[in-house]
Amino acid sequence: MKEHDDTHDDTKEAIVATTQEAVQIGAIVPTLTVDDLQKSITFYEALGFAIDERWEEKGTLLGVMLRAGKSRIGLNQDDWKKGRDRKKGIGVRVSISTPGSVDEIAKRAKNAGFTLTSEPRDSKEWKSRAFEVTDPSGFLLTVFSDTSA
């Protein structure tokens, strides 16, 4: 019969993982499942992205890969198999860095009829200029550029 060990400390310990050398990654490419593919394409084109690849089946556009500079983002039309009331963008923020003008990108988005979640502003804490906008499916984007502040 095994006896209970009362000396065991039940205090939770923080586990910290460390890596000796970081893996070299060329890019991380998010792919978003969207409610209305064409509306999302229009939104991302307003931010400066262009269609790089298209995926079709029997003449129906199912998804695209968009590109802006060296960055890419994929968009797939939701097939609604998980329900039409599925919330998208919960707990996700996509940050987009630009060497260009944040204000110009914000202006392009507004001129295309999109409402910014926050206007362009400087952040001394993050040493950047940024604005936020929510895409048509509910994904929050932060568009930013580094500043010397």
Side-chain angles (χ1 to χ4, degrees):
M1 182 168 151
K2 188 174 179 182
E3 290 186 29
H4 179 65
D5 181 3
D6 288 328
T7 61
H8 177 67
D9 184 4
D10 289 332
T11 306
K12 293 182 180 178
E13 296 179 24
I15 298 173
V16 179
T18 58
T19 304
Q20 294 297 323
E21 184 176 323
V23 174
Q24 297 300 309
I25 296 175
I28 294 176
V29 181
T31 300
L32 308 176
T33 298
V34 299
D35 295 335
D36 183 328
L37 183 56
Q38 191 54 57
K39 190 173 185 179
S40 292
I41 290 169
T42 300
F43 172 83
Y44 285 94
E45 285 178 334
L47 295 180
F49 285 84
I51 295 175
D52 193 42
E53 297 176 46
R54 301 169 59 90
W55 300 290
E56 294 183 12
E57 186 175 295
K58 298 177 184 173
T60 301
L61 184 63
L62 301 178
V64 294
M65 182 61 66
L66 302 172
R67 179 180 300 277
K70 293 181 180 179
S71 296
R72 298 183 313 156
I73 188 167
L75 302 177
N76 291 321
Q77 175 61 54
D78 195 333
D79 61 11
W80 307 112
K81 289 180 181 174
K82 294 184 179 180
R84 289 195 175 265
D85 59 347
R86 178 167 66 141
K87 298 285 185 210
K88 296 181 177 72
I90 304 296
V92 175
R93 175 189 301 260
V94 177
S95 295
I96 300 172
S97 172
T98 178
S101 169
V102 165
D103 294 89
E104 184 59 36
I105 295 171
K107 182 178 175 184
R108 288 176 59 148
K110 288 199 274 190
N111 287 344
F114 297 103
T115 302
L116 303 185
T117 307
S118 70
E119 292 290 328
R121 67 196 179 285
D122 292 323
S123 168
K124 289 184 181 183
E125 178 184 3
W126 294 100
K127 296 181 178 143
S128 66
R129 182 158 182 81
F131 73 91
E132 294 175 341
V133 62
T134 301
D135 88 348
S137 294
F139 293 98
L140 180 62
L141 304 166
T142 300
V143 179
F144 73 96
S145 65
D146 293 330
T147 63
S148 57

